[in-house]
Amino acid sequence: MVTLTAPARAYMPSFIDAMREGFSRDTLRPETPEAIAVVAADPDAYLAGFGNPPSHITLPDGSQGEAVPATMLWCVEGDTFLGSVGIRHRLNANLEKVGGHVGYAVRPSARGRGLASAMLADTLVWIGANLPLKRVLLTVNAENPASIRVVEKNGGVLTGQVPHLWRPGETALHYWIDV
Ligand SMILES: CC(C)(COP(=O)(O)OP(=O)(O)OC[C@H]1O[C@@H](n2cnc3c(N)ncnc32)[C@H](O)[C@@H]1OP(=O)(O)O)[C@@H](O)C(=O)NCCC(=O)NCCS
């Protein structure tokens, strides 16, 4: 059975395989062999990071930015890692433009099976049960038709678009979904 759950040790070998396959923890930055090796060398330290989130994160341009409270959920089947959803509990100035409340990714070998659509649907239920948010912002690159479809299938309403903060020349579409 496919479920959304907290990251845990049982999924780490598959999570590392997924990164080697092309899954990236940050949709704006591909993984590097060095970054994957750090996780593979100490999976427990990587998992512990979810319990001790940093107050600052490195932004795509290399500068330091505020890290908002966030929850990571993994989509798994048995011990197999399939994808992830990052839920930002609130927005800040950058996330209001690009990032929004929810970001997701599915490992390459599991795409095209409806997983992202199901993950987002389950995530909206999770947010309704756990956060005081009545609606959530999702920002989608205008050149990402699969993600646009995922958002629209989940009730996303296009409210505007902005120049992409981190990808010059590209556009981020703004969608809001009622929780
Ligand atoms: C975007 C992504 C999450 C989609 O995951 P997925 O599990 O394959 O998505 P789903 O199978 O639930 O649905 C994809 C939908 O897009 C459609 N689609 C896929 N490629 C498409 C394309 N090139 N043009 C139009 N529609 C497309 C599929 O047909 C499907 O729609 P359907 O259910 O009506 O048939 C996945 O490709 C991914 O992880 N990409 C990298 C990270 C990323 O872009 N994340 C989103 C950031 S906003």
Side-chain angles (χ1 to χ4, degrees):
M1 194 178 67
V2 175
T3 50
L4 266 190
T5 187
R9 190 71 176 82
Y11 316 120
M12 285 307 292
S14 178
F15 176 69
I16 292 160
D17 281 349
M19 288 195 289
R20 291 182 176 137
E21 173 185 303
F23 171 86
S24 175
R25 289 169 284 174
D26 180 340
T27 55
L28 293 171
R29 283 174 286 200
E31 297 292 343
T32 61
E34 295 74 22
I36 297 170
V38 168
V39 179
D42 195 347
D44 291 321
Y46 178 68
L47 285 171
F50 291 116
N52 299 295
S55 59
H56 288 79
I57 55 166
T58 302
L59 296 169
D61 66 0
S63 67
Q64 292 293 297
E66 176 202 22
V68 302
T71 299
M72 176 64 71
L73 297 176
W74 281 359
C75 177
V76 302
E77 186 171 30
D79 286 347
T80 301
F81 170 89
L82 297 170
S84 69
V85 184
I87 304 162
R88 270 76 70 168
H89 297 193
R90 64 174 172 79
L91 301 178
N92 62 18
N94 282 335
L95 292 169
E96 276 172 8
K97 296 192 185 89
V98 173
H101 289 102
V102 178
Y104 45 77
V106 171
R107 69 186 292 174
S109 61
R111 289 179 190 164
R113 286 171 43 188
L115 285 174
S117 306
M119 276 162 46
L120 180 54
D122 289 352
T123 298
L124 295 169
V125 173
W126 186 94
I127 290 171
N130 291 282
L131 296 177
L133 296 173
K134 294 281 176 263
R135 58 185 202 138
V136 287
L137 173 68
L138 286 91
T139 75
V140 184
N141 194 307
E143 287 160 35
N144 193 343
S147 189
I148 290 170
R149 179 87 185 112
V150 168
V151 173
E152 292 185 342
K153 280 202 300 184
N154 276 280
V157 175
L158 182 64
T159 59
Q161 59 183 56
V162 299
H164 203 291
L165 275 182
W166 317 113
R167 290 187 167 166
E170 296 188 14
T171 299
L173 305 179
H174 280 193
Y175 284 91
W176 285 89
I177 305 181
D178 287 334
V179 173

